[in-house]
Amino acid sequence: AMVLAHEIGHAVARHNAEKITQQMTITMFRSALFLALGMDIAAGPLMLGLQLPYSRTCENEADTLGLQLMAKACFDPRSGPKAMSRLSSGHASAMPEFLSTHPSSATRVAKLEKQLPEALAVYEGGCHTAGRFFSSFSQF
């Protein structure tokens, strides 16, 4: 449920539209610099200073939205951090986080665990009745 809710979080936050706008702005900036200087010196700094941090921010936002969506859909949000840690098990990354499009799994799990109390309040506030109903099916 966490992975699906995370992807829905990207859609809800309109990350694709934001990235298209960002890419258009970066392309115009790089083109202007190229015309002025005759060389493309902005690619690396823009990637490290703007695109990668923004991508990690989007991933964190999608995680946050996903956890809330899970809770509102009556899925136990405590499984969210567990799912994110399982996704990375056996895939130790040698790449530093600042060079990655995604936060490290440890960072993601820590942030999700900090957000659990709020998600649990949503889950427990609206899912007790539904939870008892759905848990009766686990007997089959």
Side-chain angles (χ1 to χ4, degrees):
M2 180 63 201
V3 174
L4 183 59
H6 167 90
E7 296 306 327
I8 293 169
H10 280 302
V12 167
R14 300 182 45 82
H15 288 155
N16 285 339
E18 290 176 3
K19 285 197 180 206
I20 289 170
T21 302
Q22 180 194 53
Q23 194 60 44
M24 288 172 34
T25 304
I26 288 171
T27 300
M28 290 185 339
F29 180 73
R30 285 180 62 191
S31 297
L33 274 177
F34 182 78
L35 289 172
L37 303 173
M39 63 172 103
D40 185 10
I41 61 167
L46 284 172
M47 177 68 76
L48 289 174
L50 184 65
Q51 289 176 298
L52 291 177
Y54 178 74
S55 181
R56 290 188 299 271
T57 299
C58 287
E59 291 301 319
N60 284 326
E61 185 179 20
D63 286 348
T64 298
L65 289 169
L67 197 64
Q68 288 296 317
L69 289 169
M70 268 182 70
K72 287 179 182 179
C74 297
F75 287 96
D76 189 344
R78 288 175 287 229
S79 65
K82 293 175 189 173
M84 285 301 179
S85 67
R86 276 195 308 266
L87 286 176
S88 70
S89 63
H91 299 286
S93 176
M95 185 181 347
E97 187 171 320
F98 76 93
L99 292 175
S100 177
T101 57
H102 288 63
S104 71
S105 291
T107 299
R108 292 175 99 162
V109 168
K111 286 185 178 187
L112 286 170
E113 286 175 347
K114 282 183 184 177
Q115 297 164 357
L116 271 179
E118 186 179 332
L120 281 169
V122 170
Y123 173 70
E124 291 169 354
C127 295
H128 281 306
T129 307
R132 283 192 293 268
F133 173 75
F134 290 123
S135 67
S136 66
F137 289 103
S138 66
Q139 298 168 2
F140 298 107

